[in-house]
Amino acid sequence: MSAIPKHRRPRRRATRVLAVAAGLATVGALAASLPASAGQDQSDGASKGKHSRTVDVQLLSFNDFHGNLQPPAGSSGQVTERQADGSEKKIDAGGVEYLATSLRTARKGNPYSVTAAAGDLIGASPLLSGLFHDEPTVEAMNKLDLDVTSVGNHEFDEGAKELARMQNGGCHPKDGCFEKDRKGKGKKFKGADYPYLAANVTDEKTGKPILKSYWVWKHKGVKVGFIGVTLEGTPDIVSADGVKGLKFHDEIETVNKYAKILDKQGVKSIVTLIHEGGVPKTQTYNYDCDSPGAGDGISGPITTIAKGITPKVDALVTGHTHNAYVCTIPDPAGKPRMVTSASSFGKLYTDTTLTYDRRTKDIVRTSVKSANHVVSREQAKAPDMTSLISRWDKLAAPVANKAVGYISGDIPGRGAGVPESPLGDLISDAQLAHAKSLDPEADLALMNPGGIRSDIVFKASGSEGDGVVTYGEAFTVQPFSNTVNLVDLTGAQLVTGLKQQVSGSNEASPKILQVSEGLTYTLDMTKSGADRVVADSIKLNGKAIDPAATYRVAMNSFLAGGGDGFAELGKGTKPVVGSDDLKAFSDYLTANSSADKPIAPPKADRITIVK
């Protein structure tokens, strides 16, 4: 399964060195032509000319892009900015045309500049990218001059072989080549110019990493090593087929192992790209994460991981939680270390200054500075990205622009910011309706919140008209191609499944299932663990759930496999597999709405929340 990237063109800013792929083997250096602007060190702060002992390295980073080439719609395309007077302001942000402009502008005057990402660049993508197995996004990242990225859990949505194709290129094994060359033949997908790093993902049979473990950026004697890992719990949040034959290892142990290897090779400056993150105290991107003390403004898995990763690592670029933060979390030696995340969908990018000491070959940790910046849509678009979007949009248009339904107002989903969303209710109702077409005895449907990737907005995104839901918009909401499955669960199993929303692996960060009409219960957030679900409040059509009775429950194939920590839901019997969830959703919209009778946003009142 090993996949070594093919660097096909000279890189723009610096001499790159590719270090070990799977294990200890070292790959030779690749020379690249130097730009005219790279003739001397940046004169800023500690860096004062080409003979200075220190030089400032600019690290630009982002995460969780998820194929959002076009600006995300609704609240999914906004960031919240804290104003000087304490008020908050919503800013429209994101879209690769603007991200490219932002990064290119930021690089100006910074000859020592490297761009990195922390996973989930692809997967769960809108139709423009997802319809073509994310080839458009990889092409865009090449044009952005992305240097390196870690894998995220969504890089495994279509399995390790497809991830290898993203790295090495080649046409899709089933769908073939999506474009034609000048001779009318299939145009071969070139793959990523940047290496994907997956240090903690190994082949179960060989025990070897499936991709490169680390990579070294090198320019005029300055060397910075990058180690890339995804969260160890990836198998819990990806379909079983996507991670078949793979083993995911502890993040801390893996990073510490490869930090030692880099150190022995003379690479003392090290950055970890890790697809795991934290939860900030506020959703404003520019809040003070280090108030009242270092790292006090963040919680979640990354805090434990950061405190366990060796001091040899100088900074952590993180992701997965789609949050924004710039924190200094102490390393095991108690020394402050920068930990950053740039929200998601290309709405922010992080600019970090790493002061490199030429004598020690290490980062002067006390000089590290970092900040998140908004990818504003008020700046100029990058013409090459506009051209890329236009090219792929022409291929997608016949499918994407088809009307599948009508709505009377915005239906918030991922951007709702509450445990039960109107779009979650609508999707659950759609899955129950599909399930009843398979078995009239179907009782209820459950939908995992992570499977809802966007909002549906009333305002037209193109020429379709206000209130029209297109296939492309529906695809953006549900891009995973899960099937709608129907299983038998006892009442006791159903109650246990609901309690797993707020206990076990979900206790620290609850995953509240969206429920179909007729299922109601109370969620008491003043309590802890499984007790948050008030068991005697769970009712179906006004009648208490009978622990001994059998219920026919619809859910997507991901949940039916026990995904997202819902092991009890994976124990269902008498399974029936229906159509994919996108078809179920689209069919429901078509059957239940028209231009004259659009669907109104659901009230989202099925779960009573006690705070």
Side-chain angles (χ1 to χ4, degrees):
M1 286 187 185
S2 179
I4 304 298
K6 300 175 181 178
H7 290 258
R8 305 165 187 82
R9 59 182 171 87
R11 299 308 302 264
R12 79 182 135 72
R13 297 185 300 278
T15 301
R16 269 86 171 166
V17 173
L18 291 177
V20 308
L24 305 181
T26 301
V27 181
L30 295 179
S33 57
L34 294 174
S37 63
Q40 64 179 18
D41 295 350
Q42 179 190 0
S43 296
D44 178 39
S47 180
K48 298 181 179 180
K50 67 179 181 179
H51 299 297
S52 173
R53 173 173 168 173
T54 61
V55 60
D56 285 345
V57 176
Q58 179 190 55
L59 171 61
L60 301 176
S61 59
F62 57 96
N63 51 277
D64 296 277
F65 184 73
H66 289 291
N68 278 264
L69 300 173
Q70 296 169 312
S75 57
S76 295
Q78 294 180 325
V79 294
T80 304
E81 182 179 76
R82 181 180 174 84
Q83 306 299 295
D85 62 1
S87 62
E88 296 181 357
K89 177 183 178 181
K90 297 285 187 180
I91 303 174
D92 291 334
V96 77
E97 296 160 296
Y98 303 107
L99 178 61
T101 297
S102 290
L103 293 177
R104 290 165 182 170
T105 300
R107 289 175 186 141
K108 292 179 180 178
N110 292 282
Y112 292 84
S113 184
V114 58
T115 303
D120 275 9
L121 299 184
I122 59 175
S125 304
L127 183 138
L128 182 62
S129 185
L131 187 64
F132 306 106
H133 299 279
D134 280 312
E135 289 182 19
T137 293
V138 173
E139 180 185 348
M141 294 299 108
N142 287 343
K143 289 179 179 294
L144 279 180
D145 282 314
L146 178 65
D147 288 296
V148 61
T149 184
S150 68
V151 296
N153 55 286
H154 282 287
E155 264 79 19
F156 294 93
D157 283 348
E158 296 188 49
K161 289 184 178 179
E162 177 64 2
L163 175 55
R165 189 179 76 88
M166 292 292 99
Q167 180 72 89
N168 291 331
C171 295
H172 192 270
K174 291 184 179 179
D175 294 338
C177 302
F178 296 111
E179 295 185 292
K180 293 182 179 180
D181 59 21
R182 294 178 180 178
K183 296 181 180 180
K185 296 182 179 180
K187 183 179 178 182
K188 184 179 178 181
F189 170 57
K190 294 181 178 180
D193 284 348
Y194 48 91
Y196 272 103
L197 305 182
N200 67 330
V201 187
T202 59
D203 186 306
E204 284 185 343
K205 293 182 179 179
T206 67
K208 296 180 179 180
I210 63 167
L211 293 167
K212 294 178 64 60
S213 298
Y214 60 84
W215 177 84
V216 180
W217 177 85
K218 188 176 183 181
H219 177 43
K220 295 178 73 68
V222 175
K223 296 186 293 185
V224 181
F226 290 84
I227 302 168
V229 297
T230 186
L231 69 156
E232 184 181 9
T234 291
D236 297 327
I237 53 177
V238 174
S239 67
D241 287 341
V243 295
K244 187 177 181 180
L246 304 179
K247 188 172 182 180
F248 293 77
H249 302 270
D250 182 84
E251 304 96 335
I252 297 173
E253 293 177 2
T254 301
V255 172
N256 290 351
K257 169 186 174 181
Y258 286 104
K260 287 181 181 179
I261 292 173
L262 283 169
D263 185 64
K264 288 180 180 179
Q265 293 182 359
V267 180
K268 307 295 183 181
S269 299
I270 303 172
V271 174
T272 289
L273 308 174
I274 177 168
H275 192 71
E276 179 60 288
V279 180
K281 286 187 175 180
T282 171
Q283 290 301 308
T284 56
Y285 81 88
N286 57 337
Y287 77 108
D288 185 358
C289 186
D290 291 333
S291 176
D296 285 344
I298 188 173
S299 60
I302 199 60
T303 58
T304 301
I305 292 171
K307 292 174 182 178
I309 287 178
T310 173
K312 294 180 185 297
V313 173
D314 298 294
L316 279 69
V317 176
T318 75
H320 187 53
T321 59
H322 291 205
N323 288 314
Y325 46 83
V326 173
C327 308
T328 53
I329 300 175
D331 67 16
K335 188 177 179 182
R337 177 167 56 193
M338 194 63 70
V339 179
T340 70
S341 177
S343 185
S344 61
F345 304 163
K347 294 180 290 188
L348 298 174
Y349 73 91
T350 312
D351 190 337
T352 302
T353 300
L354 303 173
T355 301
Y356 182 92
D357 188 321
R358 293 185 182 276
R359 186 177 300 173
T360 64
K361 300 181 181 179
D362 206 349
I363 299 301
V364 182
R365 192 85 71 79
T366 55
S367 299
V368 174
K369 297 178 293 183
S370 188
N372 277 325
H373 300 276
V374 178
V375 177
S376 170
R377 297 183 198 168
E378 295 183 358
Q379 62 187 316
K381 297 179 180 180
D384 59 334
M385 295 300 177
T386 301
S387 178
L388 180 150
I389 290 172
S390 178
R391 199 179 86 242
W392 287 102
D393 196 37
K394 288 179 181 179
L395 292 174
V399 176
N401 296 334
K402 179 183 177 182
V404 296
Y406 301 84
I407 57 175
S408 63
D410 290 349
I411 303 182
R414 192 171 188 85
V418 291
E420 180 187 359
S421 71
L423 187 52
D425 284 359
L426 184 62
I427 290 172
S428 299
D429 289 346
Q431 293 194 1
L432 178 58
H434 180 70
K436 284 184 175 294
S437 72
L438 303 173
D439 182 350
E441 298 301 316
D443 293 302
L444 62 110
L446 304 172
M447 176 63 192
N448 60 306
I452 304 170
R453 305 306 299 182
S454 186
D455 307 327
I456 292 183
V457 297
F458 180 79
K459 185 178 180 180
S461 59
S463 59
E464 74 275 12
D466 292 347
V468 179
V469 181
T470 65
Y471 182 83
E473 291 167 335
F475 185 101
T476 298
V477 170
Q478 291 196 280
F480 293 110
S481 297
N482 288 312
T483 55
V484 177
N485 291 16
L486 195 56
V487 298
D488 277 358
L489 291 173
T490 66
Q493 287 178 310
L494 178 59
V495 171
T496 298
L498 291 175
K499 288 186 174 183
Q500 287 175 340
Q501 298 175 108
V502 289
S503 62
S505 61
N506 293 330
E507 182 166 2
S509 182
K511 292 184 176 68
I512 306 305
L513 297 170
Q514 308 300 285
V515 300
S516 58
E517 187 174 10
L519 184 65
T520 58
Y521 72 95
T522 298
L523 190 63
D524 188 348
M525 300 306 289
T526 66
K527 298 180 180 179
S528 61
D531 289 340
R532 290 175 172 177
V533 174
V534 182
D536 59 9
S537 72
I538 305 173
K539 296 179 180 180
L540 182 61
N541 299 320
K543 185 177 180 181
I545 293 294
D546 181 354
T550 298
Y551 296 87
R552 202 75 171 132
V553 183
M555 65 189 85
N556 62 34
S557 49
F558 173 67
L559 274 180
D564 263 354
F566 291 97
E568 199 67 22
L569 301 184
K571 298 177 181 178
T573 59
K574 298 182 180 179
V576 172
V577 178
S579 298
D580 69 82
D581 51 6
L582 174 59
K583 185 178 187 306
F585 184 47
S586 299
D587 287 351
Y588 184 82
L589 292 174
T590 300
N592 291 276
S593 69
S594 65
D596 295 332
K597 295 183 179 180
I599 290 177
K603 296 180 180 180
D605 57 359
R606 299 166 189 179
I607 305 173
T608 300
I609 309 294
V610 178
K611 298 181 180 180

